[in-house]
């Protein structure tokens, strides 16, 4: 039976988080990949630490501070580069198959939504830049709750928005920790494992694993 809604993580699932550095790779040279990886790692790590300690800062603030850390670690202080990278992050590329996949789901009568750690303003900018805004029924941010995934209260925002039970939601994420949190909440979970990484958090037993987003509409038919 099709789900009541298909809910997507944004950053890393629909949107390529490494696209910002990719646009400025020539300025970073051989430090581009490690800067991008550390930027992402600290962005996520700090969201966990804040949630675990009952603290909160908007995800956009964490994104800027994580970038500052990554640039400092790699000794990069080129004028204007920080601002250029953050501007690029506001307009990340969507993965090539994302728009067609969302359109196919909606053509089959399945509502689509984002559930993201992102701040409302950064999400609005990103989905517009990626051409995804017309293909989404809702963009749900954690910001009103002032905590981050994988807190169970975040996943409850989706069931509240679509007035359904957890098992009636299909949740899609490329982040293993997010997929695990969603499965613990009771969603049917699809883990998008683009890099073919070994499964974490028992996802090989509890989630359906996809190499990308293209086959999702058929899996939900």
């Amino acid at each position: 039976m099709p789900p009541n809604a298909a809910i997507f993580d944004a950053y890393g699932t629909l949107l390529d988080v490494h696209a910002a550095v990719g646009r400025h790779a020539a300025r970073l040279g051989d430090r581009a990949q490690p800067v991008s990886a550390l930027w992402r790692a600290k962005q996520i790590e700090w969201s966990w630490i804040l949630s675990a300690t009952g603290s909160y800062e908007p995800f956009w603030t964490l994104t800027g501070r994580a970038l500052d850390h990554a640039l400092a670690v790699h000794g990069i202080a080129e004028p204007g580069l920080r601002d250029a990278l953050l501007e690029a992050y506001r307009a990340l590329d969507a993965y090539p198959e994302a728009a067609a996949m969302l359109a196919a789901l909606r053509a089959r009568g399945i509502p689509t939504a984002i559930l993201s750690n992102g701040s409302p303003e950064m999400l609005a900018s990103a989905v517009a830049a990626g051409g995804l805004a017309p293909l989404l029924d809702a963009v749900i941010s954690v910001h009103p709750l002032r905590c981050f995934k994988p807190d169970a209260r975040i996943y409850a925002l989706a069931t509240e928005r679509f007035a359904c039970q957890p098992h009636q939601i299909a949740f899609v994420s490329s982040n293993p920790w997010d997929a695990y949190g969603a499965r613990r909440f009771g969603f049917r979970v699809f883990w998008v494992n683009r890099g073919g990484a070994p499964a974490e958090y028992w996802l090989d037993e509890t989630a359906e694993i996809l190499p990308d987003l293209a086959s999702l509409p058929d899996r939900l038919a």
Side-chain angles (χ1 to χ4, degrees):
M1 178 179 295
N4 284 39
I7 310 297
F8 296 85
D9 170 63
Y11 295 102
T13 302
L14 294 175
L15 304 170
D16 181 358
V17 295
H18 300 295
V21 167
R23 292 180 200 170
H24 298 281
R27 298 171 70 176
L28 289 161
D30 59 6
R31 294 175 292 182
Q33 190 280 329
V35 164
S36 192
L38 184 58
W39 184 7
R40 175 62 171 169
K42 288 300 178 181
Q43 180 195 50
I44 296 302
E45 177 189 329
W46 293 350
S47 74
W48 293 340
I49 296 299
L50 288 177
S51 283
T53 57
S55 305
Y56 179 79
E57 291 192 31
F59 200 61
W60 183 246
T61 301
L62 295 186
T63 299
R65 291 181 177 176
L67 175 58
D68 291 340
H69 177 79
L71 293 175
V73 165
H74 290 281
I76 298 167
E78 180 184 331
L81 180 57
R82 178 188 189 273
D83 289 346
L85 288 168
L86 286 175
E87 188 61 28
Y89 204 94
R90 288 186 182 275
L92 293 172
D93 298 333
Y95 282 105
E97 76 279 13
M101 176 275 301
L102 291 171
L105 289 176
R106 296 188 81 196
R108 298 180 188 202
I110 300 174
T112 61
I114 280 174
L115 178 63
S116 174
N117 280 343
S119 308
E121 297 81 4
M122 66 186 289
L123 283 169
S125 175
V127 299
L132 305 182
L135 303 171
L136 294 163
D137 293 283
V139 178
I140 306 168
S141 169
V142 305
H143 187 66
L145 292 183
R146 300 180 67 82
C147 60
F148 295 106
K149 294 188 286 183
D151 190 304
R153 291 172 293 174
I154 303 304
Y155 303 109
L157 292 173
T159 54
E160 292 167 8
R161 171 62 178 78
F162 290 97
C164 64
Q165 296 300 309
H167 71 274
Q168 296 173 305
I169 294 283
F171 184 83
V172 187
S173 182
S174 66
N175 300 297
W177 51 270
D178 187 20
Y180 175 74
R183 187 68 192 94
R184 289 280 297 175
F185 185 73
F187 291 157
R188 178 185 178 186
V189 170
F190 293 84
W191 174 39
V192 183
N193 185 12
R194 292 181 182 274
E200 298 182 74
Y201 310 116
W202 311 280
L203 292 177
D204 53 337
E205 301 173 6
T206 60
E208 299 173 61
I209 302 175
L210 304 175
D212 55 39
L213 297 166
S215 64
L216 184 66
D218 289 338
R219 298 286 286 269
L220 295 181

